[in-house]
Structure formats: structure tokens, C-alpha cells
């Protein structure tokens, strides 16, 4: 009776493992030195974007809380504009009130040297002083708001760069995983022998009662 012999070859064969997008190969998987190796083909745009995000993150991290003279100058200019507008609003409110008071008192009493004028004048000046004090408080709040907005913009920018970087890396990782999942690794000799073993064992099991000592196909291989 002839024998079936096992082949000494055990090198796996690899089929598939290539992912293409719009005709461009993005990831491919093959068998090298006993391991599955997947290579990702980064596009020039992906490479430029990753290099840019990395450089921008590194450059901005060191100075994220440091304001340059130019930045501070812009903040002071905006504060000064806010202050001038506040002063203008106060003057537009209280200057006409003072003029109206003077005209009214002068027409009634012929002069401004009287208690009625002084009482009304003190009331107006007190309200104007309160408005100036409120403007000073608002200026401090405005300064804090401008600084916080500048910091918020910087942190948002770094967060955007980080998210963009992570998005590209995740796309690459997903493509690599898809390439590896689509890869089929098998051994021709082992697959063929195992297929024969399953079929032969069924025959031997059925014939076992007629041929003493015949139990498995492994005795023939």
C-alpha cells in the first residue's frame, strides 16, 4: 500500500492585504521573516499636515501663556478705545444736564450763586462720579476678558491641531487594520493534508471493524 508523505515546506502563503483608495494603494500587508508586516503609504498632503501640526504644537506650547509686545499693544489699544467710548458716553449724558441746570437757574435767579443750583449740581456730579467709577470697573473686566479670549483662542487652536493630528493617525490606523483583516494566510501543504486526513479518517472509521489495528490515518502518514 502506498504512503502519503508530509511536505517539509511550511512557509505560509499570503493573499490579499491591500487597501486602495481612488486607485492609490494606501496599505498593504505581506509576510516577512515569520511575521505579518503592514506598510502604510502616506500621501504628500498627509505628511505635510502631520509635520505642520507637530511643529505648530511644539512651537506654541512654550509660549502659550506668554504675550508678545505686539499682542499686549493690541489689547491696550482696544482697552483705550473702550475707555474713550465710555468717557464720551458719560459726557454726552451729563454735559447737557449741567448746561440745562445752569440755564434754568440763571433764568430763575439771575445768577448761579444759590443753594438750589449747588444742590442740583452736587446731585449731577455725584451721578457722574458713579458713572466714572463704573467705567473703571468695566475697564478692568474688559482687560480680563480680552486676555482670557486671547488665551482661549490659543488653546482652541492647539486643540484643533491635536484633533487634526489624531484624525489623520486614526485614519491610518483604521486603514492598516483593514489591510490586516483582509489578509488571508494559509499553508498549501498543511491545508491539503488536513483535508485528506478528515476524509480518510471517515473511511478508516467505517472500515475499522474489518481491518484489525486500523484506527487513524496518521498511521499512514
Amino acid at each position: 500500500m502506498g504512503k502519503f508523505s508530509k511536505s517539509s515546506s511550511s512557509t505560509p502563503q499570503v493573499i490579499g492585504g491591500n487597501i486602495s483608495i481612488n486607485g492609490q494603494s494606501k496599505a498593504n500587508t505581506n509576510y516577512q521573516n515569520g511575521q505579518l508586516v503592514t506598510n502604510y503609504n502616506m500621501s504628500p498632503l498627509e505628511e505635510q499636515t502631520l509635520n505642520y501640526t507637530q511643529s505648530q504644537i511644539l512651537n506654541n506650547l512654550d509660549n502659550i501663556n506668554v504675550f508678545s509686545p505686539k499682542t499686549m499693544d493690541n489689547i491696550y489699544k482696544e482697552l483705550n478705545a473702550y475707555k474713550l467710548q465710555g468717557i464720551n458716553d458719560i459726557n454726552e449724558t451729563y454735559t447737557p444736564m449741567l448746561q440745562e441746570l445752569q440755564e434754568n437757574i440763571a433764568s430763575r435767579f439771575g445768577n448761579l450763586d444759590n443753594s438750589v443750583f449747588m444742590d442740583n449740581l452736587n446731585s449731577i456730579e455725584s451721578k457722574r462720579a458713579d458713572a466714572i467709577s463704573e467705567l473703571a470697573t468695566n475697564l478692568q473686566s474688559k482687560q480680563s476678558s480680552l486676555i482670557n479670549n486671547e488665551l482661549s483662542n490659543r488653546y482652541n487652536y492647539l486643540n484643533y491641531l491635536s484633533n487634526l493630528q489624531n484624525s489623520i493617525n486614526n485614519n491610518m490606523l483604521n486603514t492598516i487594520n483593514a489591510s490586516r483583516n483582509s489578509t488571508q494566510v494559509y499553508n498549501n501543504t498543511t491545508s491539503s493534508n488536513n483535508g485528506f486526513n478528515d476524509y480518510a479518517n471517515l473511511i478508516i472509521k467505517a472500515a475499522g471493524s474489518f481491518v484489525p489495528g486500523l484506527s487513524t490515518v496518521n498511521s499512514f502518514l
Side-chain angles (χ1 to χ4, degrees), residues 64-65 67 71 75 78-79 141-157:
I64 190 169
N65 294 321
F67 289 0
T71 300
I75 290 177
E78 190 165 350
L79 280 174
S141 178
K142 181 69 173 178
Q143 179 177 340
S144 298
S145 177
L146 291 174
I147 291 175
N148 289 335
N149 285 340
E150 175 66 24
L151 289 174
S152 179
N153 289 337
R154 294 182 179 191
Y155 281 105
N156 287 338
Y157 177 61

Side-chain angles (χ1 to χ4, degrees), residues 38 45 67 97 111 113 126 150 159 162 209 218:
T38 301
L45 181 59
F67 289 0
M97 293 174 63
N111 60 70
D113 187 16
S126 177
E150 175 66 24
N159 188 55
S162 179
S209 58
N218 290 329

Side-chain angles (χ1 to χ4, degrees), residues 1-7 193 196-197 199-205 207-208 211-221:
M1 181 180 294
K3 288 188 176 182
F4 294 92
S5 61
K6 292 182 179 179
S7 171
N193 282 343
F196 174 79
N197 288 351
Y199 179 71
N201 281 329
L202 289 175
I203 299 176
I204 292 172
K205 184 177 181 181
V211 183
L214 184 60
S215 58
T216 65
V217 72
N218 290 329
S219 61
F220 288 91
L221 301 180

Side-chain angles (χ1 to χ4, degrees), residues 99-221:
Q99 291 176 346
E100 183 180 357
L101 173 64
Q102 291 175 350
E103 293 172 357
N104 181 267
I105 295 299
S107 65
R108 291 173 58 191
F109 300 98
N111 60 70
L112 302 178
D113 187 16
N114 57 75
S115 61
V116 176
F117 173 75
M118 294 305 298
D119 289 343
N120 283 276
L121 177 62
N122 289 336
S123 177
I124 293 174
E125 288 296 349
S126 177
K127 292 179 180 179
R128 183 163 68 172
D130 290 341
I132 293 174
S133 177
E134 182 180 1
L135 174 60
T137 301
N138 290 339
L139 275 172
Q140 293 179 346
S141 178
K142 181 69 173 178
Q143 179 177 340
S144 298
S145 177
L146 291 174
I147 291 175
N148 289 335
N149 285 340
E150 175 66 24
L151 289 174
S152 179
N153 289 337
R154 294 182 179 191
Y155 281 105
N156 287 338
Y157 177 61
L158 287 179
N159 188 55
Y160 166 77
L161 292 175
S162 179
N163 289 337
L164 179 59
Q165 187 180 69
N166 290 336
S167 176
I168 296 175
N169 288 333
N170 287 336
N171 286 337
M172 289 193 294
L173 181 60
N174 290 336
T175 305
I176 288 173
N177 288 335
S179 176
R180 295 181 73 86
N181 290 336
S182 66
T183 300
Q184 298 180 15
V185 182
Y186 68 98
N187 185 298
N188 284 326
T189 302
T190 302
S191 299
S192 297
N193 282 343
N194 287 342
F196 174 79
N197 288 351
D198 293 339
Y199 179 71
N201 281 329
L202 289 175
I203 299 176
I204 292 172
K205 184 177 181 181
S209 58
F210 301 100
V211 183
L214 184 60
S215 58
T216 65
V217 72
N218 290 329
S219 61
F220 288 91
L221 301 180

